[in-house]
C-alpha cells in the first residue's frame, strides 16, 4: 500500500493536478451549454421563457440523476475501480449526445426539433453527471492528508481561472465576432468541435492520474468490501452530517449567484448594453488571470493549508463580499459607459472607472476562485467525516447529494434571468448586442451580475459559522481513520 508510516495516504503532485483537469473536461461542456437558450430561441424557435425554462428543467433533471449515479458509484466494485468506469462512460455519452444536439436535431422537421433536442439533452446530462461525480469522489482515495488535500484547490482554481479567461475570449471576442455576432448554427457547431476534442484529451489525462489510486485499499477505512449500505444509511447521512449540510447551504447559494453572474445574457446586458462595449467582456479575464492566480495560491497555499479549509473559505467570502459591494456602487452611482480596455476597439486612454474596475475585478476573481476551489476538497472532508462518524464510506452519495441540492437551487438562474428580461422588455428575443439601453435592462443586469453575489457570499459566511470541520478536527479525523486502517491490516 502507498501509505506513509503515520498511515496517511498521499498522492504525487501530478496525480492531484490530473484529477483537477477533470473539472475542466466537464466545464468545457458546461460552458457550451450556457449558450443553449440562444440555440433554442434562435434556431429551434422556442420563446425566451420556454428556452430559459428548459435550461432550468434540465438542470433539475441533472440534479435528480446525481444521487442515483452516486448510489451506483458507491456500490461499484471491479477491476477498473469505482471512478474510472464513470469517467469513461460519462465522457462518451457527452460526446455522442452533444453531437446529436447540434448536428442531428436540425435535420428533423421543425415541429419535432424541440422535443428531439430535449431527449438528446436529457441523455447528455446523465453522462455529464457520471463524469462530474468523479471529481468529488476520487479525491477521497487520492489523498487524505489535511495539508495536501487543499492543494487540489490550487490546481483546480488555477486551471479554472485560465479556462474562464480563455473561454470568454474564444466565445465572445473571437468566435462570436467571426460569425458576425450571431448565435447561428455555424457558431454552435464550430464550438462543439473544440469542446469535444479538448474534453476528450483532458479525460484521458484524468484517467491516467487516478488509475493507481482507484483501488479498494484507498477507499474509506479500507474495509469497504464488508460494508453494506442501505437506504436508511443515506437518509442518516443527510440528517446528521452537519458538515455536509452547511457546505450545501453555502455552496448552493453561492453557485446560484455565480451562475447568474456568469450567464451569457447577463454579460451581454452589462458589457454591450450598459457599458456600450461588448469587446470588454472577453478582455477583462486577460487582466485578472495572473494576479488572481497569485491571490488564489496565497489563499489556499497559506491560509487554507495552515489554518484549515473552513477558515480559508470564510476569509475569501468576506473579501469577495466587500469587493462586490464596491462594484455594485460603481455601476449604480458611477458612469459604466467609461469602461474601456486596451484591445476592445474603443480604447483611447485609461480613466478612473476603468482602472478601478480592473483592480476590483482582479481582487474579486482571486477571492472567488479561493472559495470556489475549496468546495471540492471540503466535500472530500465531509466524506472522511462520515467515515469517522459512522464507518460508512459513501463518496458517491455525499458528492452527488451535494450536487443535487446545488443544482436544484442554481437551476433557477436561467429561469430568473429569462423572466426578468421578459418583464422589462417587449421583445420576444433575448437581449443582444443590438438591443437598445433601458433602465429596466440595466437594473436586471446589475442585479444579476453583482447584487445576487452579495446574497451568495452572505450565505457562505453564515453557514461557515456552523461548519464543524476545523483544521484541528480534520487532523484528528485523519489520525483516527489511519488507526482503523492499521488495525484492519493487522487482522488480515
Amino acid at each position: 500500500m502507498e501509505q506513509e508510516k503515520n498511515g496517511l495516504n498521499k498522492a504525487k503532485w501530478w496525480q492531484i493536478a490530473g484529477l483537477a483537469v477533470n473539472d475542466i473536461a466537464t466545464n468545457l461542456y458546461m460552458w457550451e451549454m450556457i449558450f443553449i437558450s440562444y440555440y433554442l430561441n434562435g434556431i429551434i424557435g422556442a420563446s425566451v421563457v420556454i428556452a430559459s425554462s428548459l435550461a432550468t428543467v434540465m438542470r433539475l433533471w441533472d440534479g435528480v440523476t446525481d444521487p442515483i449515479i452516486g448510489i451506483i458509484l458507491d456500490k461499484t466494485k471491479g477491476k477498473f475501480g469505482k471512478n474510472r468506469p464513470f469517467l469513461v462512460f460519462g465522457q462518451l455519452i457527452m460526446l455522442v449526445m452533444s453531437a446529436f444536439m447540434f448536428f442531428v436535431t436540425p435535420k428533423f422537421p421543425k415541429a419535432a426539433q424541440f422535443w428531439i433536442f430535449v431527449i438528446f439533452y436529457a441523455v447528455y446530462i446523465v453522462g455529464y453527471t457520471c463524469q462530474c461525480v468523479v471529481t468529488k469522489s476520487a479525491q477521497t482515495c487520492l489523498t487524505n492528508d489535511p495539508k495536501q488535500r487543499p492543494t487540489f484547490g490550487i490546481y483546480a482554481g488555477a486551471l479554472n481561472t485560465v479556462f474562464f479567461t480563455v473561454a470568454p475570449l474564444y466565445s465572445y471576442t473571437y468566435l462570436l465576432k467571426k460569425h458576425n455576432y450571431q448565435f447561428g448554427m455555424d457558431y454552435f457547431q464550430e464550438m462543439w468541435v473544440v469542446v469535444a476534442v479538448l474534453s476528450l484529451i483532458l479525460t484521458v489525462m484524468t484517467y491516467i492520474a487516478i488509475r493507481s489510486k482507484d483501488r479498494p485499499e484507498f477507499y474509506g477505512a479500507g474495509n469497504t468490501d464488508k460494508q453494506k449500505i442501505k437506504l436508511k444509511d443515506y437518509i442518516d447521512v443527510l440528517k446528521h452530517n452537519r458538515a455536509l449540510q452547511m457546505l450545501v447551504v453555502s455552496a448552493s447559494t453561492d453557485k446560484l449567484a455565480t451562475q447568474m453572474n456568469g450567464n451569457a445574457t447577463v454579460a451581454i446586458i452589462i458589457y454591450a448594453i450598459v457599458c456600450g462595449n461588448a469587446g470588454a467582456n472577453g478582455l477583462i479575464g486577460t487582466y485578472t488571470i495572473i494576479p488572481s492566480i497569485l491571490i488564489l495560491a496565497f489563499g489556499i497555499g497559506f491560509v487554507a493549508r495552515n489554518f484549515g479549509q473552513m477558515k480559508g473559505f470564510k476569509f475569501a467570502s468576506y473579501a469577495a463580499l466587500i469587493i462586490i459591494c464596491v462594484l455594485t456602487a460603481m455601476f449604480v452611482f458611477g458612469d459604466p459607459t467609461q469602461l474601456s480596455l486596451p484591445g476592445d476597439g474603443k480604447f483611447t486612454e485609461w480613466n478612473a472607472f476603468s482602472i478601478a474596475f480592473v483592480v476590483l475585478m482582479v481582487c474579486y476573481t482571486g477571492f472567488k476562485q479561493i472559495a470556489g476551489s475549496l468546495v471540492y476538497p471540503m466535500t472530500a472532508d465531509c466524506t472522511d467525516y462520515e467515515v469517522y462518524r459512522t464507518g460508512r464510506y459513501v463518496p458517491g452519495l455525499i458528492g452527488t447529494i451535494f450536487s443535487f441540492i446545488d443544482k436544484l437551487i442554481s437551476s433557477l438562474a436561467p429561469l430568473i434571468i429569462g423572466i426578468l428580461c421578459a418583464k422589462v422588455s417587449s421583445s420576444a428575443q433575448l437581449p443582444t448586442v443590438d438591443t437598445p439601453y433601458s433602465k429596466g435592462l440595466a437594473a436586471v443586469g446589475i442585479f444579476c451580475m453583482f447584487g445576487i453575489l452579495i446574497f451568495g457570499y452572505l450565505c457562505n459566511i453564515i453557514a461557515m459559522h456552523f461548519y464543524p470541520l476545523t483544521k484541528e478536527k480534520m487532523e484528528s479525523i485523519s489520525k483516527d481513520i489511519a488507526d482503523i486502517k492499521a488495525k484492519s491490516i493487522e487482522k488480515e
Side-chain angles (χ1 to χ4, degrees):
M1 293 176 64
E2 301 172 34
Q3 308 280 354
E4 299 290 324
K5 291 182 179 180
N6 58 8
L8 289 178
N9 167 32
K10 294 189 176 183
K12 298 179 176 64
W13 72 267
W14 62 267
Q15 291 175 313
I16 299 174
L19 179 58
V21 158
N22 191 54
D23 203 25
I24 306 301
T26 52
N27 278 345
L28 278 160
Y29 280 101
M30 180 275 293
W31 178 263
E32 184 175 33
M33 295 305 160
I34 71 171
F35 299 95
I36 211 66
S37 293
Y38 283 98
Y39 183 82
L40 291 168
N41 184 224
I43 296 173
I44 303 299
S47 70
V48 171
V49 174
I50 292 295
S52 300
S53 298
L54 180 64
T56 296
V57 170
M58 284 302 169
R59 190 159 180 82
L60 286 172
W61 167 241
D62 190 5
V64 169
T65 62
D66 277 343
I68 298 172
I69 297 299
I71 291 171
I72 296 172
L73 184 144
D74 287 337
K75 293 181 178 296
T76 297
K77 299 174 184 178
K79 64 179 181 179
F80 294 107
K82 280 184 177 293
N83 299 287
R84 285 171 289 164
F86 290 85
L87 190 69
V88 173
F89 287 120
Q91 176 65 200
L92 292 178
I93 292 171
M94 285 195 298
L95 179 69
V96 174
M97 288 299 110
S98 61
F100 284 177
M101 288 160 63
F102 296 115
F103 290 90
V104 177
T105 300
K107 298 183 182 300
F108 283 85
K110 196 68 177 179
Q113 287 181 7
F114 178 79
W115 298 109
I116 294 296
F117 180 89
V118 169
I119 294 171
F120 291 154
Y121 199 176
V123 179
Y124 152 84
I125 282 173
V126 174
Y128 180 79
T129 300
C130 286
Q131 185 155 354
C132 280
V133 72
V134 174
T135 305
K136 297 184 180 73
S137 173
Q139 283 186 73
T140 62
C141 58
L142 204 61
T143 177
N144 65 354
D145 184 347
K147 288 190 175 181
Q148 188 180 51
R149 184 169 279 172
T151 60
F152 175 88
I154 296 178
Y155 292 117
L159 288 169
N160 275 295
T161 299
V162 173
F163 174 76
F164 285 110
T165 298
V166 175
L169 280 172
Y170 171 73
S171 303
Y172 297 109
T173 307
Y174 167 72
L175 194 60
L176 194 58
K177 182 179 179 180
K178 177 181 178 181
H179 294 284
N180 301 313
Y181 294 98
Q182 300 298 315
F183 291 103
M185 185 64 72
D186 291 342
Y187 176 91
F188 288 103
Q189 291 183 347
E190 183 172 344
M191 182 184 285
W192 178 87
V193 173
V194 173
V195 166
V197 171
L198 289 178
S199 184
L200 183 60
I201 293 171
L202 296 177
T203 300
V204 172
M205 292 171 63
T206 301
Y207 186 97
I208 294 171
I210 68 173
R211 182 174 54 183
S212 65
K213 291 283 188 173
D214 191 18
R215 303 205 307 264
E217 59 263 38
F218 299 116
Y219 303 153
N223 58 353
T224 53
D225 288 340
K226 301 175 183 178
Q227 79 174 9
K228 303 294 182 182
I229 304 297
K230 300 178 181 178
L231 180 61
K232 66 178 182 179
D233 296 320
Y234 291 121
I235 295 173
D236 181 71
V237 172
L238 300 178
K239 289 177 63 177
H240 298 109
N241 192 316
R242 176 55 63 88
L244 180 62
Q245 292 169 354
M246 292 301 100
L247 188 60
V248 164
V249 169
S250 173
S252 58
T253 51
D254 195 12
K255 189 64 170 290
L256 170 64
T258 54
Q259 285 278 318
M260 292 177 67
N261 168 268
N263 185 273
T265 300
V266 173
I268 287 174
I269 293 173
I270 287 293
Y271 291 99
I273 299 173
V274 175
C275 296
N277 189 353
N281 181 37
L283 288 171
I284 189 62
T286 62
Y287 294 92
T288 63
I289 182 169
I290 294 177
S292 64
I293 289 176
L294 294 176
I295 295 172
L296 170 74
F298 168 77
I300 296 181
F302 177 75
V303 178
R305 290 194 67 183
N306 289 287
F307 300 100
Q309 298 191 116
M310 181 269 284
K311 287 189 177 179
F313 189 83
K314 190 188 292 186
F315 157 75
S317 297
Y318 269 116
L321 175 62
I322 294 170
I323 294 167
I324 288 299
C325 287
V326 177
L327 280 168
T328 303
M330 281 178 56
F331 272 75
V332 172
F333 302 108
D335 183 7
T337 61
Q338 293 183 13
L339 181 62
S340 182
L341 305 172
D344 62 14
K346 296 184 177 182
F347 180 81
T348 54
E349 62 180 359
W350 285 101
N351 57 64
F353 187 96
S354 298
I355 293 172
F357 182 77
V358 170
V359 171
L360 289 169
M361 285 300 292
V362 164
C363 296
Y364 166 68
T365 303
F367 291 119
K368 177 188 73 172
Q369 289 290 0
I370 293 171
S373 300
L374 283 174
V375 168
Y376 283 146
M378 288 172 76
T379 304
D381 283 353
C382 291
T383 300
D384 285 351
Y385 178 59
E386 187 61 28
V387 174
Y388 161 82
R389 191 179 72 87
T390 66
R392 292 187 292 252
Y393 178 64
V394 285
L397 173 78
I398 287 179
T400 53
I401 283 295
F402 170 85
S403 298
F404 168 68
I405 305 298
D406 175 18
K407 291 170 184 175
L408 183 67
I409 295 176
S410 63
S411 64
L412 298 173
L415 179 60
I416 293 171
I417 293 167
I419 291 174
L420 290 175
C421 287
K423 287 289 184 182
V424 301
S425 175
S426 58
S427 174
Q429 304 294 318
L430 287 168
T432 68
V433 294
D434 299 320
T435 301
Y437 173 91
S438 72
K439 289 184 178 180
L441 272 180
V444 169
I446 292 171
F447 170 74
C448 294
M449 178 68 79
F450 304 118
I452 192 66
L453 288 172
I454 295 174
F455 168 74
Y457 288 119
L458 282 173
C459 289
N460 284 3
I461 293 165
I462 294 170
M464 286 302 103
H465 279 294
F466 301 96
Y467 185 78
L469 302 184
T470 62
K471 175 177 179 287
E472 294 74 22
K473 183 65 174 179
M474 283 311 303
E475 288 175 347
S476 174
I477 288 173
S478 296
K479 290 177 181 177
D480 286 346
I481 292 176
D483 289 341
I484 295 171
K485 284 185 176 182
K487 291 177 182 178
S488 176
I489 294 171
E490 289 176 4
K491 290 181 180 179
E492 293 177 358

